[in-house]
Amino acid sequence: MTGTNDPAGPAPVSADQPGEAQFGPHRFYAGEGGGSTRFRGARFDVADLRGARFTDCDLTGVTIRDGWLADVSISGHLSNVTVNGVDVTGFVSAELDRRHPERVQFREGRSADDVRAMWDTIEGLWAEAGKRAGRLPAAALTEQVNEEWSFSQTLRHLVFITDAWASRTVLDEERPYHRLGLPQSWYPAADAAALGIDLAAQPAYAEILGARADRMAVMRRIVAGLTDDGLGRRCRRSPAPGYPDEELTVIDCLSVVLDEEIEHYRFATRDLAILESR
């Protein structure tokens, strides 16, 4: 299995070196216009940036001198991040591992039995998260905390991830996509529609749970039949039209599913805690 939060593309370069910007660990399409370069190499001297929001931005090589950082929230791929002369990357990673030991289990997995054990863990984590969500008012399940995906949207996204990275690739199904699946926000809307995905759908929570349970059962069937030799089998299809044409093995594809399950569980429970505190 692959390491959690490994960047998908080439390593980012510093702001003053040539190279393509990185817009997220799993992004391969930068959207219309290819991502703004308006502020590349910009300087902000004695500037009031209170309340500024940077979403899916490449901040490689950014330097903050004598800044005032209070109530600051940062998430994303971290490498060589230095705060007041201290590289905090390792501290952050270690603390995340302490809070979420499933990250360690994922990184250390090698065999088919490890994949099965990892899926057991994921099923248990999401079962508990589902119980927590079920105790919240119905409106909270569609509430976007700090503009992040709601709990319902997260479940819909994981339906798409299973369809794309398990059913289409590992099971070699041509069009496995559930209409309620939710691709990444930057996935072209026309391509999603061509797959039969209804981005405008407002399904009931029970319908979402049904789709999610069905896709989790798909993963359960796949991991139940895994063998060590089968992990290296090459998959014929890309996850979805528009994805890069690259050689993928069964373990490559399943690792994406497992990684997405782990990371979105972390995000979902972070937001559940906020909703529960109200």
Side-chain angles (χ1 to χ4, degrees):
M1 288 179 267
T2 58
T4 304
N5 286 338
D6 285 346
V13 295
S14 63
D16 59 352
Q17 291 179 311
E20 294 185 2
Q22 303 297 299
F23 295 105
H26 303 295
R27 177 189 282 272
F28 60 81
Y29 172 67
E32 296 299 326
S36 172
T37 60
R38 177 183 175 188
F39 295 109
R40 185 167 186 170
R43 293 183 63 100
F44 301 95
D45 296 311
V46 198
D48 185 346
L49 298 178
R50 288 176 294 177
R53 187 180 181 94
F54 303 90
T55 301
D56 213 351
C57 296
D58 188 339
L59 300 176
T60 301
V62 166
T63 297
I64 300 174
R65 293 276 187 247
D66 297 329
W68 189 281
L69 280 74
D71 301 322
V72 173
S73 176
I74 300 172
S75 69
H77 172 73
L78 304 184
S79 178
N80 302 321
V81 177
T82 302
V83 178
N84 289 336
V86 178
D87 186 343
V88 301
T89 310
F91 293 107
V92 173
S93 181
E95 178 60 16
L96 285 175
D97 286 350
R98 186 188 68 80
R99 297 183 184 186
H100 298 280
E102 64 272 12
R103 288 164 43 95
V104 180
Q105 182 183 3
F106 174 70
R107 288 200 305 269
E108 294 180 349
R110 296 291 182 271
S111 68
D113 283 341
D114 292 334
V115 176
R116 277 186 281 274
M118 187 74 255
W119 189 250
D120 287 341
T121 297
I122 286 170
E123 285 184 332
L125 292 172
W126 278 106
E128 183 58 33
K131 291 178 182 177
R132 292 174 61 183
R135 292 191 289 267
L136 291 171
L141 301 177
T142 58
E143 181 177 343
Q144 293 181 291
V145 177
N146 295 324
E147 300 181 33
E148 301 288 349
W149 272 340
S150 68
F151 192 82
S152 292
Q153 288 173 313
T154 297
L155 298 184
R156 291 178 60 188
H157 177 62
L158 292 174
V159 166
F160 173 78
I161 290 298
T162 305
D163 289 344
W165 288 95
S167 296
R168 180 171 162 88
T169 54
V170 177
L171 299 181
D172 198 28
E173 297 179 10
E174 184 176 0
R175 292 179 63 86
Y177 309 101
H178 196 289
R179 70 178 186 87
L180 298 182
L182 190 62
Q184 300 89 328
S185 58
W186 44 263
Y187 192 70
D191 289 351
L195 299 179
I197 294 173
D198 184 2
L199 295 178
Q202 298 291 330
Y205 185 58
E207 190 176 4
I208 296 171
L209 288 181
R212 170 68 166 152
D214 180 79
R215 270 35 182 188
M216 292 192 82
V218 169
M219 275 296 295
R220 170 53 65 183
R221 291 194 295 271
I222 290 174
V223 302
L226 277 181
T227 64
D228 289 346
D229 289 341
L231 294 177
R233 175 175 63 82
R234 290 178 173 82
C235 301
R236 294 193 311 117
R237 301 183 190 276
S238 67
Y243 274 68
D245 185 13
E246 56 186 346
E247 185 176 276
L248 296 167
T249 63
V250 168
I251 189 57
D252 291 332
C253 298
L254 293 182
S255 290
V256 173
V257 177
L258 300 177
D259 190 16
E260 290 274 336
E261 292 278 354
I262 291 168
E263 290 302 292
H264 282 287
Y265 167 78
R266 179 165 64 88
F267 302 147
T269 52
R270 172 202 62 196
D271 294 346
L272 281 176
I274 293 173
L275 295 169
E276 290 167 335
S277 69
R278 295 176 178 173

